[in-house]
Amino acid sequence: MDDFEFSGHYIDDDFKELPLRAFRTRDQDQATNAEDVLFDMFKNEETGLISVGEFLAALRITGLRKNDPRLQEFTDNLKKEHIKNSDRTKAISHETQKLDREQFRRIINPNIVLISRAFRHQFIIPDWSGFTKHIEDFYWKCKTNTEGKVASYIPQLARMNPEYWGVSVCTIDGQRFSIGDTSIPFTLQSCSKPLTYAIALDRLGPEVVHQYVGQEPSGRNFNELVLDYGKKPHNPMINAGAILICSLLKTLIKPEMGLAEKFDFTMNCFKRLAGGENLGFNNAVFLSEREAADRNYALGFYMREHKCYPEKTNLQEVMDFYFQCCAMEANCETMAVMAATLANGGICPVTEEKVLKPDSVRDVLSLMHSCGMYDYSGQFAFKVGIPAKSGVSGSLLVVIPNVMGICTWSPPLDPLGNSCRGVQFCEELVHEFNFHRYDNLKHATNKRDPRRHKYETKGLSIVNLLFSAASGDVTAMRRHRLSGMDMTLSDYDGRTALHLAASEGHLDCVEFLIEHCGVPHDPKDRWGKRPVDEAETFGHMQVVEYLNNYALVHKTELENKQDECIDDDNESCRKPPETAVQP
């Protein structure tokens, strides 16, 4: 890796245990590593220091938050540096301090791979700010939707404010975005069903689980007293199936545990899915659910009559456990991470812990796709085409496999029990983006694909680079270089970024291109004009002087090198013998 040169290609993501190497300039002793490139991108030109606050703000634009667990070492190092230098710098907090190059390199080094990936736009959604603008548009469009009624079968749900409306997004790379009432807790209700099913699959395997519960849509109401032809609940996403899944968790997984221990075990599993984020329990909702559960008790006894449960099942304990799972409490932020863990094959994006097996997640998403939206499941699968699960608290857990998880929350429900705003948001999402499972990623020209880079073609890359040079935007040019762009690219007329920067008199851009990017100082366009000619034409004498001086130094270096090569004993100057071409 010591001879690695960054030649216009992205560094492979699979090298995390190897040191992240420098971009090598024309003169190899001026090699600059990724920490230096980032420092140069954000440093203040006058003071030569980098503002931590500005750097964290730029990091947030890529989708990473400062409290991301994967950036813990970076944050700890910032705090230690602040404590060490607080008397001298007078910075109020670790986020207001300013760092020199060596401090920055030392602090950022433990997390340089993740941070450099963020600024190279190598996450699943490269243009995160552009994508989130669409999410904001969908949010405000859906906020005007006043249809539906808040669930009222228990008083605790009926008291929810119908104006509450929140959306949180978490990608498989841990990019986060939230808008609206995303920190207000709500009970999981039926959104707990895919989670308990996932735990059962992971611990017991699909063969055991599906001895007791089916995999088909019921075609009936979610709480109807009906079993399939094998005398099993139709699927784990309806009430009968979820109760039976809870009996498997209670009876077959660590049967030595009591009800309290099994509750703690399940909540711990949920927390791991959520990356350790906020998760609680609403006892008032639990007690009300249990008091207003005539239909659920009827389902429980009906299944016991048909011997649906495993042996030694205590029905009362199973029913309490089911109500407890429904009464667990989270917010949009937490649920979005859970959904992202499902989207990421069971690996939590923010902690990188493998919580579930990929096969278990596949089965969960399959049934969410076909059975997750109560009696609207078929139409939702047809119109929206992504796995989702709704709950009567107004929550909607949405999974876009291999891309992201989304949670929406709005208490007003349609007649089928789904959040009116949540369903509309999903329809807006797949109308704009090709997230429907059967959208063609190549030929669906009427939809956007946020997974593609904004400037993916060479032609657009050239336009973007030349525009940055012409406008004197050194920061943008640093980003182009960091992302691996070939800084010598030219347009149809052979004009390079150096031509444009010279013709507009942007001396800082000219210096950056030559000294840091190592571009040739005298390329000719189709009319034979060099950058120095452009600068002379438009009267930018500082640029002319700089280019002429550089050309003179460059010529002297070449002459000195040629003088060294006159000596026949200098092995490095000898040309290798030409190899004869075989006929």
Side-chain angles (χ1 to χ4, degrees), residues 40-43 45 468 472-481 508-509 512:
D40 290 334
M41 186 187 297
F42 293 102
K43 74 176 180 182
E45 295 296 336
S468 299
D473 192 345
V474 180
T475 301
M477 294 179 71
R478 287 195 181 106
R479 289 197 179 98
H480 297 325
R481 178 177 174 236
D508 51 350
C509 289
F512 173 75

Side-chain angles (χ1 to χ4, degrees), residues 51-68:
S51 167
V52 172
E54 290 179 7
F55 183 77
L56 292 176
L59 199 59
R60 187 179 178 89
I61 292 174
T62 70
L64 288 186
R65 293 182 175 176
K66 60 187 178 184
N67 61 350
D68 191 307

